[in-house]
Amino acid sequence: MRVFSEGAQTLNVLFDACCAKFKTAPSLGMAMGTSWSYEELHQRVMAVASRLQQEGVKKGDRLAILAENSPSWGLAWLAIVRLGAIAVPVLPEMPEGDVQHILQEMKVKAVFTTRRQFDKLISIAENLHGPVFTFDDFREKLETLKTIPFSEYVSEALATFKGEKTDFPPVEEEDVASIIYTSGTSGYSKAVMLTHRNFTMNACSASGLAILPERSTWLSILPMSHTYEFTCGFLLPMIFGARVAYIDKLPTPAVLQKLCRYEKPTVIFAVPLILEKIYKKKVQPEMEKGLMRLACSIGMLRRMISRRIGKKILAFFGGKLVFMGVGGAKMNPDVEKFFYEANFPYLIGYGMTEAAPLIAGGPLFDPAIGVGSTGRPIPGVEVRIENASPQTGIGEIMARGENVMQGYYDDLESSREALPDGWLRTGDVGRFDEKGNLYVTGRLKNVIVMPNGENVYPEAIEHKIETFSLVAEVLVLEHEGQLEAWAFPDYEQLESEHPGMSGEEQRALVKKGLETLRREVNEQLSRTSHLVHIYEKSEPFIKTATMKIKRYLYDDMTMRREEQG
């Protein structure tokens, strides 16, 4: 699927081509609300870009977007890059200190935000030297920080623009379009510089992974500040002339069901946690009932049952779903096995911010792709395994292609470490199978070396534990040469199964359940990988935007202090 020919391309060229092709089709809107047409979106982008230019925004300037998803978010981003300026999206969940560090380090010319995020700006007001636009039209008249309602700004820009010929600076494909701060599991946040070409290459390559209908509805449930949702849930739907519907609530099962019933989306991009929750709440209880449990132990019957339940899940998502992209973290193999047997239209992708983000994935419904694989490298991306083990074929995943970042902002040393000889060092470990499918085993930094020299990948053990309904989240750690796990129970599930239970009764039930779970999991592991303890964690783990646990915040001693304190 292409809307423009190969060659030198920028995001502006891509956007112009999509708007010309799908002029009258709806583009961006809130779920259960109205949408701008592509022609109306294009007119607004040009008008806002023109006004920003008149007010002094120049090529190379940096403008931040600190806000929840909305059509205005996309409009602002497109207007920024139209001028050759650089968009700096900031995750709304970032703590105040991190937000302030980013805005001051970037020396931003303007900030686009909402009332919900505004308090994070107050203490650095004197260091913000440009306007603060509010997508929700929130007004604040502090002496040091005044707001401009964005809808008014857009209306005024349209009134003065009137489709006149623009004189914007030339924008090249190697110009930086966005600087995105990582929020990964390994700690220190880095500022990734992604070019126009990085984004357009990645979006166009991704558009060939599935045959999707044009002018359909895509439901956006992940933060646009993350490259996964931005490329796959914002740029990619433009290529198909789709309408993107944004939600203004957390995507809980109840919220999703209501919105999907109304919108009937054809495409959704999600993180594994969403499907894993649906599996635990709606699938597992049904498949473990009496005779059903026995039937599911027989391959043919299990597949028939999975397909019947799969149809109910498609109905849950509105009944029109033809594609669900799943990425941002590794999916539990048992959960994926069900969705595979259910013939559910999912595609597992693998990537990272530094690759804009997609490295491998699909194509959809390819029978050569097995459960647990992320598919093959996408067109235009090369992947190799560095220092592969002769026994397992597992080594560090390296990637190269036009989607790979220009480097880290103002950090030559880290850039050289991440891009030796032009190959991106992902920090993930994995292997290829004989069909060329990539399997991601875990993070290089997470590998636990046991006293006998065996490498243990904690993620594999965690996935086994997470299949038990008792556990919501889990982390496997090493303690004095042995393995133990910390599990946050699914208290909501416990309460529904045992209403009115006292706190003491609950603790006893959890303790007994975790010990039973430990014995069952150990039966599936090599002796050197056995867990000696599974402890209850009373609070959820801190997670990234794609719902991966921030492992660097937790080690053996930290966990003990946290639970004892």
Side-chain angles (χ1 to χ4, degrees):
M1 175 66 187
R2 295 290 183 269
V3 292
F4 59 91
S5 60
E6 295 298 326
Q9 306 297 344
T10 66
L11 288 155
N12 298 339
V13 171
L14 173 63
F15 178 59
D16 291 347
C18 294
C19 290
K21 181 175 182 180
F22 302 110
K23 188 177 293 188
T24 60
S27 61
L28 309 178
M30 296 303 295
M32 303 177 73
T34 59
S35 303
W36 300 318
S37 69
Y38 273 90
E39 184 175 33
E40 289 170 332
L41 174 60
H42 192 272
Q43 187 180 33
R44 282 166 169 75
V45 167
M46 300 298 278
V48 171
S50 179
R51 186 166 183 191
L52 287 172
Q53 184 181 48
Q54 292 167 16
E55 294 174 355
V57 176
K58 304 184 297 298
K59 183 174 182 178
D61 285 343
R62 295 181 288 271
L63 293 82
I65 305 177
L66 169 64
E68 301 76 29
N69 289 7
S70 70
S72 293
W73 198 110
L75 163 56
W77 201 98
L78 291 165
I80 291 166
V81 300
R82 173 63 57 171
L83 298 173
I86 299 169
V88 183
V90 184
L91 285 163
E93 296 80 14
M94 271 195 173
E96 183 175 329
D98 291 350
V99 170
Q100 293 172 355
H101 165 73
I102 291 171
L103 299 183
Q104 292 181 107
E105 182 173 71
M106 289 288 102
K107 298 181 175 60
V108 295
K109 272 286 191 75
V111 179
F112 297 85
T113 192
T114 61
R115 173 65 187 93
R116 209 179 299 177
Q117 302 296 325
F118 187 78
D119 289 348
K120 297 175 183 178
L121 307 179
I122 293 174
S123 65
I124 59 166
E126 293 180 357
N127 297 325
L128 296 175
H129 303 299
V132 174
F133 300 100
T134 56
F135 289 152
D136 54 359
D137 292 340
F138 164 70
R139 293 177 185 272
E140 180 62 75
K141 294 184 178 179
L142 295 175
E143 282 190 22
T144 54
L145 199 62
K146 294 184 180 179
T147 56
I148 300 173
F150 190 61
S151 66
E152 293 180 11
Y153 188 82
V154 174
S155 296
E156 291 169 7
L158 284 168
T160 56
F161 181 64
K162 296 180 180 175
E164 63 205 35
K165 188 174 180 180
T166 57
D167 187 25
F168 297 145
V171 178
E172 307 298 332
E173 60 180 5
E174 295 307 320
D175 289 338
V176 175
S178 193
I179 296 178
I180 301 175
Y181 282 74
T182 59
S183 62
T185 59
S186 58
Y188 176 61
S189 186
K190 296 173 182 174
V192 178
M193 297 187 293
L194 294 172
T195 67
H196 282 253
R197 183 60 172 169
N198 292 154
F199 283 118
T200 57
M201 178 272 167
N202 210 231
C204 289
S205 292
S207 70
L209 300 181
I211 299 173
L212 301 176
E214 293 183 348
R215 302 170 188 261
S216 59
T217 295
W218 297 34
L219 188 65
S220 178
I221 62 176
L222 301 176
M224 296 171 74
S225 309
H226 196 281
T227 45
Y228 171 35
E229 179 64 20
F230 179 78
T231 298
C232 297
F234 180 65
L235 297 180
L236 187 56
M238 284 187 197
I239 295 175
F240 292 94
R243 169 180 173 260
V244 182
Y246 297 105
I247 69 173
D248 57 3
K249 298 180 178 66
L250 287 174
T252 63
V255 168
L256 275 179
Q257 188 168 26
K258 177 183 178 182
L259 293 177
C260 288
R261 187 184 295 125
Y262 182 89
E263 292 288 355
K264 303 189 185 309
T266 56
V267 178
I268 301 174
F269 283 90
V271 292
L273 185 64
I274 290 174
L275 289 183
E276 289 166 1
K277 280 187 175 180
I278 290 172
Y279 175 80
K280 276 191 173 183
K281 302 291 185 185
K282 296 185 175 294
V283 178
Q284 214 169 13
E286 190 167 343
M287 296 183 83
E288 291 184 352
K289 290 178 188 171
L291 291 175
M292 188 73 80
R293 186 184 184 94
L294 176 63
C296 288
S297 66
I298 303 170
M300 185 179 296
L301 287 178
R302 178 187 166 91
R303 286 190 289 273
M304 290 174 59
I305 293 166
S306 294
R307 292 201 175 188
R308 178 173 60 81
I309 298 174
K311 289 179 180 177
K312 293 181 181 179
I313 295 175
L314 280 174
F316 171 89
F317 285 111
K320 299 292 184 181
L321 193 71
V322 298
F323 178 86
M324 177 174 280
V326 183
K330 186 174 174 62
M331 183 185 283
N332 187 295
D334 289 344
V335 176
E336 187 188 350
K337 182 180 179 182
F338 162 76
F339 283 102
Y340 181 84
E341 292 180 342
N343 207 30
F344 190 79
Y346 76 97
L347 182 151
I348 301 288
Y350 164 67
M352 59 192 305
T353 303
E354 289 86 340
L358 199 59
I359 292 173
L364 183 65
F365 289 137
D366 188 326
I369 300 173
V371 172
S373 168
T374 64
R376 291 182 282 280
I378 67 169
V381 178
E382 300 174 76
V383 175
R384 64 179 173 86
I385 305 298
E386 178 98 331
N387 299 321
S389 163
Q391 289 77 33
T392 64
I394 294 174
E396 185 174 6
I397 299 169
M398 308 283 284
R400 182 170 68 177
E402 292 178 320
N403 61 319
V404 172
M405 67 171 180
Q406 195 175 84
Y408 297 115
Y409 174 79
D410 198 27
D411 193 345
L412 285 176
E413 183 179 348
S414 294
S415 298
R416 292 192 189 104
E417 289 176 2
L419 295 166
D421 303 323
W423 285 84
L424 174 63
R425 191 176 293 278
T426 66
D428 292 314
V429 288
R431 63 178 178 85
F432 280 111
D433 66 13
E434 66 281 358
K435 296 176 181 177
N437 297 309
L438 180 65
Y439 290 75
V440 182
T441 311
R443 289 290 293 170
L444 190 61
K445 291 180 180 179
N446 298 344
V447 175
I448 298 171
V449 182
M450 301 303 290
N452 67 347
E454 180 181 341
N455 287 345
V456 173
Y457 298 95
E459 296 93 338
I461 302 174
E462 290 159 6
H463 284 147
K464 293 181 185 297
I465 297 171
E466 287 166 346
T467 59
F468 290 80
S469 60
L470 174 62
V471 176
E473 302 169 8
V474 65
L475 200 61
V476 171
L477 299 169
E478 182 268 338
H479 175 63
E480 296 181 352
Q482 296 180 309
L483 297 177
E484 59 187 27
W486 292 80
F488 172 62
D490 189 336
Y491 293 114
E492 184 180 324
Q493 181 74 13
L494 281 171
E495 180 59 33
S496 68
E497 292 176 355
H498 307 277
M501 183 171 47
S502 70
E504 186 176 344
E505 289 171 330
Q506 185 183 79
R507 284 190 294 274
L509 184 64
V510 168
K511 184 177 181 180
K512 182 180 178 180
L514 290 178
E515 177 55 25
T516 302
L517 186 161
R518 183 188 71 84
R519 291 197 297 268
E520 291 187 25
V521 168
N522 280 346
E523 290 176 1
Q524 306 171 46
L525 300 171
S526 67
R527 182 167 293 278
T528 54
S529 297
H530 278 190
L531 295 163
V532 294
H533 295 290
I534 301 182
Y535 298 103
E536 177 184 3
K537 188 179 186 302
S538 56
E539 297 290 338
F541 291 95
I542 299 171
K543 293 177 283 294
T544 69
T546 53
M547 305 310 291
K548 289 182 287 190
I549 294 172
K550 293 190 174 184
R551 288 179 177 269
Y552 68 93
L553 296 176
Y554 304 99
D555 58 26
D556 174 54
M557 294 307 296
T558 301
M559 293 303 301
R560 280 173 163 70
R561 285 196 302 269
E562 181 179 302
E563 291 305 311
Q564 290 171 5

